[in-house]
Amino acid sequence: MTRDRLTEILAAHSEGREPSAAPDRTVNHAEPDRQTELNSLLETAALARQVLVPVSPAPAFRARLHDGLVLAAHHQEAQRMLQRPRSEPPWGWLIGAAALGSAAGLVAIALRSRGQPAKSGVGPQPQQ
Amino acid sequence: MSEPEAILIARAAHDAEAFGALYERYVDRIYSYIFYRVGNVHDAEDLTARVFYGALAHIDDYRPSGAPFAAWLYRIAHNLVANWHRDRSRRRDIRLDDAVGIVQRGDGPEHLAERSEQARVVLSAMATLPAERQHLLILKFVDGMSNAQIAKAMGRTEGAIKSLYHRTLIALREELSKREL
């Protein structure tokens, strides 16, 4: 029995099934060392399987952690909603920009009208 | 019928109750894994909580790339346990009292002493193995995973897992023989 074959037998045994068909499917009794090796490793696996049983957390801890996680998840989702970019136009910015533009326009008109000479006959006229 | 996992995971990213349902599906497995890696209830509870709070914080990062969601959780747990060992400089020794108490469950008194000593020896031997080999033994015997499932969880090929299992049994047997078991 090769080492690879031993690997396959151990892997199959760990899953509770027979190893795939191979020329040396039954252990060759002319190889007592391999048989001894196989038995020893199977015993080791059996010991590990016997000791390593599933465990569960204490019910109080389990419930407490569940409640804490759900609360944290709610908080996390609320944070995400606050940070989400807005889909509607920023009306405040638009109105502010329009007001600023209007004010700038009025100032420009006032400055232009101060700089132009008077067009009526009233007041001193330039000498001809 | 329980909700298909892919749908549950997608919902969990923005639905607190869905994340709670995911937690219920995996808490026992993650707790078991951590318990056998650290050997006591207190630290197992602490690290289990950290695994799931970490998963919640990074649920958007999870990508179903072929490896199951459990593999992602195990990876988080594995890293936290590695940090725990490093921070406490407990490379080899673990507290076995809680673990032995678990193994005693369901036994009649006539076998109790024998099993508790046997469990102590086996767990002590297992604690000396590299993390990867402990991980394999826990997934196989505690979680009942097949070699193919373990391969996905550990990011290896099935052939590599079979070889690792063979080498792990040899190493465990050597440690047990030192302890005359």
Side-chain angles (χ1 to χ4, degrees):
Chain A
M1 178 168 40
T2 63
R3 182 185 167 88
D4 285 347
R5 182 64 186 149
L6 193 54
T7 297
E8 283 298 320
I9 293 174
L10 289 169
H13 183 270
S14 74
E15 295 181 342
R17 57 179 176 83
E18 288 292 320
S20 55
D24 58 342
R25 185 175 182 176
T26 56
V27 175
N28 187 339
H29 293 287
E31 296 180 287
D33 289 344
R34 286 290 190 193
Q35 178 65 61
T36 302
E37 171 78 356
L38 176 62
N39 288 344
S40 171
L41 292 177
L42 288 176
E43 273 179 29
T44 301
L47 264 177
R49 184 186 296 276
Q50 193 177 357
V51 170
L52 293 174
V53 296
V55 297
S56 294
F61 163 77
R62 187 197 183 103
R64 198 165 56 242
L65 180 54
H66 174 273
D67 293 346
L69 286 166
V70 169
L71 192 62
H74 278 300
H75 180 74
Q76 187 167 287
E77 182 58 19
Q79 288 287 98
R80 282 200 187 118
M81 287 179 66
L82 285 173
Q83 290 164 5
R84 210 163 283 163
R86 297 177 191 223
S87 55
E88 68 274 12
W91 293 115
W93 284 108
L94 287 173
I95 291 171
L100 201 61
S102 300
L106 288 172
V107 168
I109 291 171
L111 288 174
R112 239 173 57 186
S113 64
R114 276 194 191 177
Q116 284 178 356
K119 289 191 177 160
S120 66
V122 176
Q125 302 292 324
Q127 294 280 333
Q128 296 272 343
Chain B
M1 183 186 294
S2 62
E3 189 172 358
E5 181 156 294
I7 297 175
L8 190 60
I9 292 169
R11 281 183 50 219
H14 55 85
D15 183 330
E17 299 304 325
F19 189 86
L22 266 183
Y23 160 81
E24 290 295 340
R25 280 193 188 188
Y26 290 108
V27 63
D28 285 352
R29 293 168 67 179
I30 295 301
Y31 178 83
S32 274
Y33 170 76
I34 293 174
F35 178 79
Y36 280 110
R37 291 293 311 279
V38 304
N40 71 87
V41 171
H42 175 77
D43 288 318
E45 289 182 349
D46 178 54
L47 291 175
T48 298
R50 288 196 211 183
V51 167
F52 284 98
Y53 277 109
L56 174 62
H58 296 99
I59 190 75
D60 286 337
D61 298 338
Y62 171 69
R63 296 288 178 268
S65 56
F69 186 72
W72 187 62
L73 291 177
Y74 274 121
R75 196 153 51 245
I76 298 173
H78 177 83
N79 291 339
L80 283 173
V81 169
N83 291 342
W84 180 86
H85 279 290
R86 187 193 60 222
D87 291 347
R88 286 155 182 76
S89 301
R90 293 182 192 179
R91 233 180 109 247
R92 301 277 179 186
D93 297 330
I94 62 170
R95 282 175 48 189
L96 300 174
D97 296 340
D98 291 351
V100 170
I102 294 293
V103 175
Q104 287 175 352
R105 236 184 256 155
D107 278 317
E110 64 276 14
H111 296 300
L112 208 59
E114 183 183 322
R115 271 177 60 78
S116 61
E117 178 57 25
Q118 188 181 73
R120 190 183 305 279
V121 171
V122 172
L123 291 172
S124 171
M126 200 178 116
T128 67
L129 300 179
E132 182 184 57
R133 294 182 180 185
Q134 293 185 47
H135 194 167
L136 168 61
L137 290 175
I138 294 169
L139 293 184
K140 181 169 282 296
F141 294 127
V142 180
D143 234 1
M145 281 190 179
S146 68
N147 293 319
Q149 290 170 328
I150 294 172
K152 278 191 177 176
M154 294 181 69
R156 310 274 290 269
T157 65
E158 190 173 345
I161 291 302
K162 290 178 181 178
S163 295
L164 181 63
Y165 178 60
H166 187 171
R167 295 197 304 275
T168 298
L169 288 180
I170 291 173
L172 184 59
R173 183 186 59 188
E174 284 175 10
E175 289 297 325
L176 289 174
S177 68
K178 290 179 192 174
R179 292 160 174 77
E180 297 178 359
L181 191 68

